[in-house]
Amino acid sequence: MNRIIPLSAAGYSALACLRAEGRGTQNILERLFQPGGAQGWNRLRAGEPVFGHWKQADGEEVVVSIGSDDAIEIQCHGGILSRDLLVESFLAEGCELVSWKDWIVQNSVNPIEAAAKRALTEAKTHRVAMILIDQLRGALQNAIQTIIDRLINRNSSSAIQVLEKLTLQSNFGKHLKSGWSVALIGSPNAGKSSLINAILGYQRSIVLSQPGTTRDLLTARTALEGWPIELVDTAGLRSGGGPLETKGMTLALQQASRSDLVLLVADASCGWTEEQDQWRSQFENVLVVHNKQDLIQHHQGDRPDGVPTVAIASNGVQQLCEQIVLRSVGRVPAHGVAVPFTPTQAEVLDAALDLVKSSKLNDAVELLSSLLHEA
Ligand SMILES: Nc1nc2c(ncn2[C@@H]2O[C@H](COP(=O)(O)OP(=O)(O)O)[C@@H](O)[C@H]2O)c(=O)[nH]1
Ligand SMILES: [Mg+2]
């Protein structure tokens, strides 16, 4: 069956791009497209774009070109209407509509390549894209093939070595799509929202001098050192407030336990409290920020290690960003290293490791092969 694939996403842009493929696509095109000028069909050759008009869409201007694989690419105006009109005329010719996402999958050699291509379209930063390109070029596929070969040769200990390395990278890889989440918690008025604004470099959170303003969770996405980071502003932690404040506090603590890193923001001009110590020990990955350094007038007693800042003057914010990346993103894989980047890949590798450890080598080979062959 002939297929029509809108390659560019729906929306407003200067140009839209469609692809028509399948046997006899050129015959269909002949019925739909009128080449401009004196050009005739005998002039349409692979790689040579031809300008003309779409017969069924009030003479919409288009450029068509035939690829070496006989598929036809059509560029038309980028508005949703012009693109849809062209698509509809192909559908009226009996073509099947295929989304670009499905087309990518169908045109990939293996599931890893398909997943990498899809993930690349959603990559939020260059550094994320570079890692996905490594996988697209075969880093993960080669590593999995190496494991399979070793298992076939009954060399399970060296297979385990590679598998363990890969499963360690899964934790990094699973963040590539959504980024790393960093929750800011602490007493009302400590400067959480001001710190987020300082990190973002623009006013995004609501900053008020009255305690208890941020009752819900406010999130802001940014990139630190090229990694996608989601900063979550939370309500101040204070017992004895009204029901709304208590709700905000519960939300804040829940969010903190879901986050990759918790920034416990403290007002450095006030003493360190037992309550703050409790919050600090409540979460696995906590970084203390001693904000309002400018207001310190006399020694406030012992405080835990942390990053000193003056949020309103952006002092210490660069060091804070460095620490955030170090503590959340952690070790970055070197160029060309295999990184599992989808939940399925991570699950399959974990399960394969268990199988190898319990000497079920054939089962492990079969499971790992599913990552390479089931498109
Ligand atoms: N002097 C001083 N004031 C700050 C600093 N950071 C925040 N503030 C002020 O403290 C108040 C509370 O800040 P805010 O960010 O809303 O605190 P939050 O409740 O923790 O989100 C505001 O008036 C800020 O301008 C700082 O480093 N130094
Ligand atoms: Mg706030």
Side-chain angles (χ1 to χ4, degrees), residues 187-195 206-209 212 214 233 291-295 309-312:
S187 311
N189 240 16
K192 300 177 291 297
S193 303
S194 305
L195 268 175
I206 308 160
V207 181
L208 284 185
S209 46
T214 315
D233 198 358
N291 189 39
K292 302 200 185 183
Q293 293 288 321
D294 56 317
L295 297 185
T309 58
V310 181
I312 49 167

Side-chain angles (χ1 to χ4, degrees), residues 249-265:
M249 206 168 131
T250 311
L251 272 179
L253 294 173
Q254 281 171 349
Q255 175 61 38
S257 56
R258 279 197 301 267
S259 295
D260 298 300
L261 172 67
V262 175
L263 296 189
L264 174 52
V265 184

Side-chain angles (χ1 to χ4, degrees), residues 24-155:
T25 299
Q26 290 213 37
N27 298 337
I28 295 176
L29 188 69
E30 268 182 52
R31 292 195 284 278
L32 301 176
F33 172 68
Q34 180 64 53
Q39 290 171 325
W41 278 108
N42 53 352
R43 292 282 312 279
L44 202 58
R45 280 195 291 269
E48 284 182 17
V50 174
F51 170 80
H53 295 274
W54 209 248
K55 291 179 187 170
Q56 298 173 355
D58 281 340
E60 165 81 13
E61 293 172 317
V62 296
V63 174
V64 303
S65 46
I66 296 187
S68 52
D69 53 356
D70 270 1
I72 293 165
E73 260 183 35
I74 305 155
Q75 292 188 6
C76 62
H77 290 121
I80 295 169
L81 278 181
S82 23
R83 196 193 75 150
D84 284 356
L85 275 168
L86 264 65
V87 169
E88 274 160 26
S89 52
F90 275 102
L91 296 183
E93 289 282 343
C95 294
E96 179 195 6
L97 179 65
V98 176
S99 73
W100 61 264
K101 288 182 178 172
D102 289 341
W103 182 75
I104 281 179
V105 173
Q106 290 160 12
N107 283 277
S108 296
V109 180
N110 61 56
I112 294 176
E113 189 187 309
K117 283 181 183 168
R118 281 188 66 160
L120 260 171
T121 65
E122 294 171 14
K124 294 188 183 75
T125 67
H126 271 102
R127 291 188 84 174
V128 167
M130 295 309 288
I131 288 176
L132 292 171
I133 286 171
D134 282 342
Q135 313 318 309
L136 184 65
R137 290 184 177 152
L140 181 58
Q141 187 193 339
N142 293 343
I144 293 171
Q145 192 59 57
T146 304
I147 299 166
I148 292 175
D149 293 345
R150 290 182 183 181
L151 290 174
I152 290 172
N153 292 328
R154 296 296 183 247
N155 192 349

Side-chain angles (χ1 to χ4, degrees), residues 363-374:
D363 292 346
V365 168
E366 198 178 319
L367 189 59
L368 289 168
S369 301
S370 72
L371 287 178
L372 301 185
H373 301 302
E374 263 171 38

